């Protein structure tokens, strides 16, 4: 139906055409490669609308939501989207014309393209300031949620905020997996994820798990400054989770996995990555923090429980 509508020489129903594309993407994100040159420009055109009336905002929101659904394993040529998506994001940064969901969706679409196009990193980090923008959005969204409530007790506004937060965390994880640049904005973003982890873990285990998985990606994949991790509070947050009187098995596993990834980072450090004296000092600080919390026996007991997850029997937490 999409192809037939696009091929019409006369009498093309633009609204029907847009609706067909949006419905298809919202139902199935594995879009045919042949359809990208047809459909991406169409949705981009809708997303570029600047009017702030409610009807236009909804049109833009749905178009960007549909774009954000496109499968991350299929590469889209940059000339189909990049300049336009940059314009959408930068215009919102100046005028705040998009809904929260629309803005997240614009970023979600761009970050998914990053997996197959590493050259986007400079645009994402240095031109559009992904880390700074996500931190600001998370601040606002977290204030919209009463974290003492369970999900079934929340109102519609709170549930919507939770959904958008979850989408941001997913985009953060995509970015951490792919990004190699490091700047001070990343350190602040990690601190914000730690705040979200602490706020959500009692009544929203799934979101807490998403947070610790994102932080785990930092430890494993990024050229992260390890002293920034110490400053962010993530070390303390993980230890708090492991020490809970009634631990959640999945959350405990993810926390332990974070420490495992961190220990591998320390073991793999070279002179090019960190001066030996600084590495030893950071290592000492981490071990002192663990000793202060009195968690050595706890680590050892969990290591036995989760042994099949951690192939290094010499002690995955010993740095």
């Amino acid at each position: 139906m999409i192809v037939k509508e696009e091929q019409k020489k006369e009498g093309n129903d633009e609204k029907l055409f847009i609706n067909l594309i949006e419905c298809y993407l919202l139902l199935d994100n594995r879009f045919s490669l042949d359809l990208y040159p047809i459909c991406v420009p169409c949705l981009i055109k809708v997303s570029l609308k600047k009017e702030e009336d409610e009807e236009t905002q909804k049109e833009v929101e749905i178009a960007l939501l549909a774009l954000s659904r496109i499968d991350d394993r299929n590469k889209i040529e940059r000339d189909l989207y990049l300049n336009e998506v940059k314009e959408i994001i930068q215009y919102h940064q100046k005028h705040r014309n998009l809904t929260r969901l629309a803005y997240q969706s614009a970023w979600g679409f761009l970050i998914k393209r990053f997996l197959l196009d590493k050259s986007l990193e400079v645009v994402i980090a240095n031109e559009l300031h992904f880390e700074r923008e996500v931190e600001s959005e998370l601040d606002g969204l977290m204030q919209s949620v009463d974290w003492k409530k369970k999900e079934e007790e929340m109102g519609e506004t709170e549930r919507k905020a939770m959904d958008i937060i979850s989408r941001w965390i997913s985009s953060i994880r995509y970015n951490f997996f792919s990004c190699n640049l490091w700047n001070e904005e990343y350190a602040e973003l990690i601190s914000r994820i730690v705040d979200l982890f602490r706020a959500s873990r009692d009544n929203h285990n799934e979101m807490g798990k998403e947070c610790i998985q994102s932080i785990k990606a930092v430890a494993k994949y990024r050229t992260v400054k390890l002293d920034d991790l110490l400053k962010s509070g993530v070390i303390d947050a993980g230890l708090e989770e492991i020490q809970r009187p009634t631990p959640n098995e999945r959350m405990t596993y993810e926390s332990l996995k974070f420490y495992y990834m961190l220990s591998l980072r320390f073991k793999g450090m070279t002179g090019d990555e960190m001066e030996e004296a600084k590495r030893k000092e950071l290592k000492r600080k981490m071990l002192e923090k663990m000793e202060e919390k009195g968690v050595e026996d706890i680590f050892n007991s969990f290591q036995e429980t989760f042994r099949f997850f951690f192939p290094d029997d010499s002690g995955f937490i010993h740095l």
Side-chain angles (χ1 to χ4, degrees):
M1 292 172 69
I2 291 170
V3 172
K4 287 180 179 179
E5 193 65 29
E6 195 271 337
Q7 289 176 342
K8 286 182 179 178
K9 301 301 181 184
E10 296 180 1
N12 181 289
D13 188 333
E14 184 177 15
K15 185 171 180 57
L16 173 63
F17 186 51
I18 294 168
N19 286 343
L20 287 171
I21 295 170
E22 291 171 343
C23 287
Y24 189 92
L25 275 172
L26 292 170
L27 289 169
D28 185 358
N29 68 337
R30 295 191 178 187
F31 217 42
S32 167
L33 289 174
D34 295 334
L35 290 177
Y36 287 141
I38 298 172
C39 300
V40 170
C42 175
L43 294 181
I44 291 288
K45 180 181 176 182
V46 176
S47 302
L48 283 166
K49 292 182 178 181
K50 303 294 194 299
E51 296 84 358
E52 296 186 26
D53 61 279
E54 186 175 350
E55 182 178 350
T56 302
Q57 279 200 326
K58 183 58 64 176
E59 289 179 12
V60 171
E61 182 181 79
I62 295 174
L64 285 169
L65 183 63
L67 279 169
S68 73
R69 285 273 299 161
I70 294 177
D71 189 51
D72 54 33
R73 289 166 291 185
N74 291 333
K75 187 170 183 178
I76 304 174
E77 295 302 319
R78 296 175 69 169
D79 60 1
L80 291 178
Y81 71 87
L82 184 57
N83 289 336
E84 292 80 2
V85 172
K86 282 174 59 178
E87 179 183 339
I88 291 165
I89 291 174
Q90 289 173 330
Y91 188 87
H92 175 77
Q93 289 172 347
K94 185 175 181 179
H95 299 283
R96 298 293 160 183
N97 64 307
L98 299 175
T99 66
R100 286 192 183 276
L101 177 58
Y103 189 50
Q104 194 290 318
S105 297
W107 272 113
F109 169 76
L110 185 59
I111 293 294
K112 283 185 177 180
R113 311 285 71 79
F114 189 17
L115 288 182
L116 295 179
D117 187 353
K118 304 306 180 188
S119 64
L120 289 173
E121 183 168 33
V122 174
V123 173
I124 289 169
N126 295 347
E127 293 185 39
L128 300 178
H129 302 283
F130 173 75
E131 304 82 12
R132 183 189 67 196
E133 290 297 303
V134 177
E135 183 193 353
S136 175
E137 288 295 303
L138 287 179
D139 271 340
L141 289 162
M142 287 174 64
Q143 293 173 21
S144 304
V145 177
D146 182 351
W147 297 99
K148 295 180 181 178
K149 292 181 181 178
K150 296 185 181 296
E151 188 170 353
E152 59 270 19
E153 300 170 336
M154 288 183 168
E156 183 179 358
T157 300
E158 288 178 305
R159 286 196 295 270
K160 284 183 177 179
M162 290 281 287
D163 287 341
I164 299 171
I165 290 172
S166 182
R167 289 170 60 86
W168 275 120
I169 294 298
S170 177
S171 292
I172 290 169
R173 194 159 60 249
Y174 269 107
N175 193 61
F176 282 160
F177 280 139
S178 305
C179 201
N180 292 309
L181 290 176
W182 181 260
N183 58 48
E184 294 305 317
E185 292 176 357
Y186 268 112
E188 294 299 321
L189 178 56
I190 295 171
S191 296
R192 192 61 62 247
I193 298 172
V194 171
D195 293 340
L196 178 59
F197 174 65
R198 284 192 164 113
S200 63
R201 63 186 176 188
D202 285 337
N203 295 316
H204 305 279
N205 285 334
E206 191 61 33
M207 183 162 290
K209 185 184 74 174
E210 290 175 6
C211 290
I212 200 67
Q213 286 176 336
S214 295
I215 295 167
K216 185 177 69 179
V218 177
K220 182 177 181 181
Y221 292 99
R222 287 200 52 80
T223 52
V224 58
K225 295 179 180 179
L226 292 175
D227 49 352
D228 283 336
L229 274 180
L230 283 172
K231 294 174 188 175
S232 73
V234 65
I235 306 298
D236 291 304
L239 293 175
E240 290 164 13
E241 182 60 34
I242 292 166
Q243 288 181 296
R244 286 161 71 91
T246 54
N248 176 283
E249 183 177 291
R250 186 66 192 180
M251 295 276 278
T252 300
Y253 165 70
E254 294 295 345
S255 298
L256 289 171
K257 192 72 173 179
F258 164 73
Y259 288 108
Y260 175 62
M261 296 301 177
L262 204 57
S263 69
L264 293 180
R265 285 290 308 281
F266 269 101
K267 291 175 183 177
M269 282 293 172
T270 66
D272 293 335
E273 293 180 274
M274 181 182 291
E275 294 178 6
E276 182 64 16
K278 186 175 182 181
R279 186 186 73 83
K280 288 182 178 179
E281 176 63 15
L282 282 175
K283 179 177 175 179
R284 183 188 63 78
K285 287 181 180 179
M286 288 190 63
L287 290 174
E288 283 183 356
K289 189 176 288 290
M290 293 176 183
E291 288 174 6
E292 288 172 8
K293 300 288 184 179
V295 296
E296 185 175 353
D297 291 339
I298 297 174
F299 278 130
N300 289 336
S301 65
F302 278 123
Q303 184 174 346
E304 183 64 32
T305 302
F306 294 117
R307 181 175 296 279
F308 63 97
F309 287 117
F310 303 102
D312 182 4
D313 288 339
S314 64
F316 71 87
I317 207 61
H318 299 311
L319 304 178

